[in-house]
Amino acid sequence: MDLLLLLMLLMSQPVSGKLRMKCPLNLAHQDGEKPWSYYKQGDLLISIVISSSAIAPATLPFNMAPSSQIRFLPFGKQRILRMIFNIEVFNKNHQHLHNLTLGYNIYDNYVNTLGTSDALLDMLSTGEANVPNYSCGRKDNLLALVDGADSDISIQMSTLAGTYKVPQISERVASGILSDKSKFPFVYPMLPKEGFQIPAIVQLLLHFGWALIGLFAPDTEEGEHFMRTLTPILVKNRICVVISQQFSRTGHTAPLRDALSQWKQVNVFVHFIEFASHFTRILPFHSALEGLPGPIEGKVWIMTMVGVYFIGKDRLLKYVHSIWSFPLQWKKSWQKDDAYKTPFFVKHEFQAEYFHCSVSKHIFSVKGRRRCTQKAPVETQEKRNRMQIPNASVPYSVIKILAHALNVASKSQRRRKKGEERLGAPPLHPWKWHPFLKKKEMCNLSLMNVYVDQNGDIAADLRIFSRVVLPEEDPINQHLGDFERQRLTINQDALSQLKLLNKSLPQSKCVEKCHPGFVKKVREGEPVCCYDCVPCPEGTISTQEDTDKCTKCPDNQYPSKNRVQCIPKRITFLSYDEHVSIILISFALFLFLTTGFVLIIFLKYLETPIVKANNRDLSYIILLSLLLCFLSSFLFIGRPRKATCLLRQTVFSIVFSVAVSSVLAKTITVVLAFLASKPGNKVRRWLGKSLANSIILSCSGVQVLICAMWLGVFPSFPDSDLHSQPGEIVLQCNEGSVTMFYVVLGYMGFLAAICFTVAFLARNLPGSFNEAKLITFSMLVFCSVWISFLPTYLSTKGKYVVAVQVFAILASSAGLLGCIFFPKCYIIILRPDLNTKEHLMTKAGE
């Protein structure tokens, strides 16, 4: 009923005058040399839209078909022939379609939307007129549409063909927009979508260290999408896009000149190309570089082309080092396919021999159509213009996939019709065989190394080819590497050949590489790719070039001098065989023997007045304490162990406290002895051993309690100092609590300060053998040593911290020994005349 109404409407057009408003077609300018479409009947019909020719930029009248303004694009006729030949191959091989034949309708859209619309209307109209859904005359039923056009035209085709659920097989790199199944559910790409070369481009830039690049694309939706996708990835990988621009098809150089003059270091340009020759892309840059001063290094042009384009000598290649592209890899088994077992030769001019062309004009059509029907197989034995195998592989894969899907769909249709009488082939509609066009199956049937990645998208293995420009010679083609399963491999032989040709790859960066041992420091106000190289901080290394961050060495290792590797640290401690230790040990032994000698003298002359003066028992205690002090210094030397760590500070502090307490008791005894000599003074009863013993026990007892608390709560233990000395692990005793250590020293200082004060006040008291002056000097030496010890101890690092403390122990003990006992030994040995009772009486009488 709807068709009847449409028919009546169309038939009424001459009456209504609407038809007279349309301009009649003038066939006088029809170009008979270049037919509009190629046609052949078959059981199953597919339509193919390709861009094999283009119309020169000019105003195209609506009442005229494309005429002599048409020019064939490179390999335009060959694309048509490849399609026809591959269909012939499958029609001859009965295993593919089981006695069914493929018919075709190949349209040339002239790379414009007008030609595309006309082609789509024709293929969707089964009658002679361009009226979709109206069947009259031609009985062919369109089952599939093969798309070989540009992305914007492909979108136009899918919008109309998708209405009829016609599968659209794209033999070109898929548009990112067409890959959206929610918007275009009936588009089936044979190749990955636009931008699938991005991972290969990024890895190439990283591999060759190209940090400064220029990024260009046409001012189309696809070009904008490419730049919007690639730029963040480059920024993430620390690659700076310092020149970024979209071009119209005509190109312009004004914005380029300033950018290229500012960034002369940029020698690598990445171009997104949809449909253009090399020269239309290089021309703007050639013009911009022409006026720049100084020598200009050859530029590397990385173009997103799927294929290898051959170029010859040209003046536009003056500033070109090489042009890179990304052809697809073929499967190793492609030579075994049936399509390549038959020789294929075609003539350059094929229309008159293989096609019969006629002009048809229907009553309902407002313009005529020139259709060329195939009348003979496209095959001959004339050996000229031989078709290259790789060029035919993509169309062959398309036809192979279509034939396979149609075959499976036909079998399924026949199974459902089994038992029913049928005439001819069963009817097959386009929407019935969408389930048979699966990505995985398409990848398996393809001759190219395409696969379905983890995201469910079609991906492909690539080869990396470079067309290297040589002076005064034709450019040479080089296979630089491969990109397989998202991994880049470089052909080192090709790089070596470039060096032999004096065409090594140029650098494209702000600065030279930072060598190992250095780190990058970004210059303020400049891109992150422009930086200075500074040495790694202390304790860190860098083993790679252009590192962003230095690596810290483990605690048990330290950086080498050039900071390129970590070296194991040397374990060290104050051992007995070191020079400092030998000196300290010798000094300690000498003082120990000296103290023993003094003790022997005092024991031998114990009944002499000078020994009896000021309590000789206290002198013995002091001498014994000094002996132990000198011996305690050995606990600090040698490899730290648990026992020595627990004992050395406590033994030293307790023994030293006993010695200082005894000196304090001696000092108090001197003061009390003077007071007791006065008539009527009751201090005499305090004199004796009990007072001295009480002072020693009470003062040293406090130190014992402090040490006991220290050992009970914060015991010392062997430890390793990994950081104080570069290149060394210092074995030492961890004091457990630094606070307790200073409390112990503070208490000894407190006792010494009291002793010094009392002795200083009593230094001028009368009496024979008054030790107050000697004690004052000894405490002055003691306090001076330990006061100077603190800053020295805090500023010293490593094993020499122990040496400082041992020296303080020996020096302060030697001060006590020398100031208190040496004068007495001098009198006992050298001046015995002063060590008599008569001398004491004489002194008292005076």
Side-chain angles (χ1 to χ4, degrees), residues 515-725:
H515 298 293
F518 291 81
V519 65
K520 296 191 295 186
K521 182 180 180 182
V522 179
R523 300 172 184 170
E524 188 175 355
E526 296 190 24
V528 294
C529 304
C530 298
Y531 49 82
D532 295 318
C533 298
V534 297
C536 285
E538 188 71 29
T540 60
I541 64 167
S542 62
T543 58
Q544 298 178 347
E545 295 180 334
D546 279 344
T547 184
D548 295 319
K549 186 178 180 181
C550 293
T551 305
K552 186 178 180 181
C553 286
D555 289 340
N556 61 343
Q557 297 180 359
Y558 72 102
S560 59
K561 188 176 182 180
N562 54 3
R563 299 181 183 179
V564 296
Q565 64 177 340
C566 291
I567 303 174
K569 290 182 178 179
R570 181 170 57 92
I571 296 177
T572 182
F573 54 90
L574 191 63
S575 60
Y576 287 98
D577 56 353
E578 294 193 29
H579 297 296
V580 175
S581 299
I582 294 173
I583 293 173
L584 292 176
I585 291 172
S586 302
F587 190 32
L589 289 175
F590 172 75
L591 292 175
F592 175 79
L593 295 175
T594 303
T595 306
F597 180 69
V598 172
L599 180 59
I600 292 173
I601 291 174
F602 269 60
L603 290 174
K604 184 177 180 180
Y605 297 96
L606 61 91
E607 296 300 333
T608 59
I610 198 170
V611 176
K612 289 183 178 180
N614 305 116
N615 198 331
R616 62 185 175 188
D617 293 335
L618 291 176
S619 298
Y620 297 151
I621 294 174
I622 293 174
L623 289 171
L624 290 174
S625 300
L626 292 177
L627 283 173
L628 294 176
C629 284
F630 295 133
L631 290 178
S632 67
S633 61
F634 288 92
L635 296 174
F636 291 85
I637 302 175
R639 190 183 189 95
R641 303 186 185 279
K642 186 175 181 179
T644 56
C645 288
L646 288 173
L647 292 175
R648 66 182 190 178
Q649 295 292 356
T650 54
V651 169
F652 150 71
S653 57
I654 292 174
V655 171
F656 228 110
S657 297
V658 172
V660 177
S661 299
S662 301
V663 174
L664 178 61
K666 237 181 200 307
T667 307
I668 294 175
T669 301
V670 171
V671 175
L672 292 179
F674 171 75
L675 295 176
S677 63
K678 295 182 180 180
N681 197 311
K682 299 180 180 180
V683 178
R684 184 182 294 271
R685 59 184 178 180
W686 292 98
L687 293 175
K689 295 181 180 180
S690 58
L691 176 61
N693 293 336
S694 300
I695 294 173
I696 294 172
L697 291 175
S698 60
C699 293
S700 58
V702 173
Q703 188 73 294
V704 171
L705 291 176
I706 295 174
C707 292
M709 187 183 301
W710 186 4
L711 291 177
V713 181
F714 308 105
S716 300
F717 58 90
D719 195 11
S720 300
D721 182 4
L722 303 173
H723 307 290
S724 63
Q725 291 292 97

Side-chain angles (χ1 to χ4, degrees), residues 145-405:
L145 170 61
V146 178
D147 170 17
D150 290 344
S151 58
D152 52 348
I153 296 178
S154 297
I155 295 173
Q156 177 190 359
M157 294 166 57
S158 62
T159 303
L160 184 56
T163 305
Y164 297 88
K165 299 182 179 179
V166 177
Q168 180 177 341
I169 314 296
S170 177
E171 67 158 349
R172 302 192 68 173
V173 174
S175 166
I177 301 172
L178 286 173
S179 300
D180 188 353
K181 278 294 182 182
S182 62
K183 296 180 179 179
F184 303 97
F186 308 119
V187 177
Y188 299 93
M190 278 286 300
L191 299 178
K193 62 183 178 182
E194 291 282 10
F196 73 99
Q197 310 96 329
I198 287 179
I201 292 173
V202 174
Q203 291 194 34
L204 271 177
L205 297 175
L206 292 174
H207 178 82
F208 293 111
W210 290 329
L212 291 180
I213 69 164
L215 182 60
F216 304 99
D219 56 352
T220 61
E221 188 174 357
E222 289 297 327
E224 182 180 354
H225 179 266
F226 178 82
M227 298 187 73
R228 191 170 57 248
T229 303
L230 178 58
T231 302
I233 298 176
L234 294 175
V235 172
K236 183 179 179 181
N237 287 276
R238 307 297 293 273
I239 300 173
C240 298
V241 181
V242 294
I243 305 175
S244 179
Q245 193 168 356
Q246 288 185 261
F247 287 93
S248 65
R249 289 189 182 269
T250 57
H252 51 285
T253 62
L256 271 178
R257 190 175 300 277
D258 294 339
L260 291 173
S261 61
Q262 180 183 357
W263 295 102
K264 292 183 179 179
Q265 309 97 319
V266 179
N267 293 315
V268 177
F269 300 100
V270 178
H271 290 252
F272 174 74
I273 293 184
E274 289 181 312
F275 189 85
S277 68
H278 290 109
F279 299 113
T280 57
R281 291 299 183 198
I282 295 176
L283 178 59
F285 299 92
H286 177 87
S287 302
L289 292 169
E290 194 77 47
L292 295 182
I296 300 174
E297 192 172 359
K299 310 297 182 182
V300 174
W301 311 80
I302 300 177
M303 298 192 176
T304 59
M305 294 181 296
V306 182
V308 180
Y309 285 72
F310 298 95
I311 55 177
K313 292 186 292 186
D314 194 278
R315 67 178 185 86
L316 295 180
L317 303 179
K318 178 180 178 182
Y319 303 117
V320 175
H321 173 278
S322 54
I323 299 174
W324 297 24
S325 59
F326 301 91
L328 297 171
Q329 288 190 12
W330 315 110
K331 291 180 179 177
K332 294 181 179 180
S333 59
W334 62 269
Q335 291 179 331
K336 300 179 181 179
D337 211 288
D338 294 337
Y340 303 108
K341 293 180 181 179
T342 304
F344 180 38
F345 302 96
V346 295
K347 284 185 174 183
H348 184 66
E349 299 296 335
F350 59 93
Q351 174 183 317
E353 183 174 352
Y354 297 110
F355 290 90
H356 173 72
C357 300
S358 62
V359 178
S360 61
K361 188 174 187 301
H362 194 267
I363 186 173
F364 298 126
S365 180
V366 295
K367 62 181 178 181
R369 175 173 297 99
R370 197 163 187 278
R371 173 173 290 135
C372 296
T373 305
Q374 184 180 344
K375 61 183 180 182
V378 185
E379 186 173 344
T380 178
Q381 294 301 320
E382 296 184 22
K383 298 184 178 180
R384 52 178 179 166
N385 297 327
R386 181 170 183 172
M387 191 68 60
Q388 298 296 323
I389 289 176
N391 293 336
S393 58
V394 177
Y396 176 73
S397 296
V398 175
I399 304 304
K400 182 179 180 181
I401 290 169
L402 281 174
H404 175 79

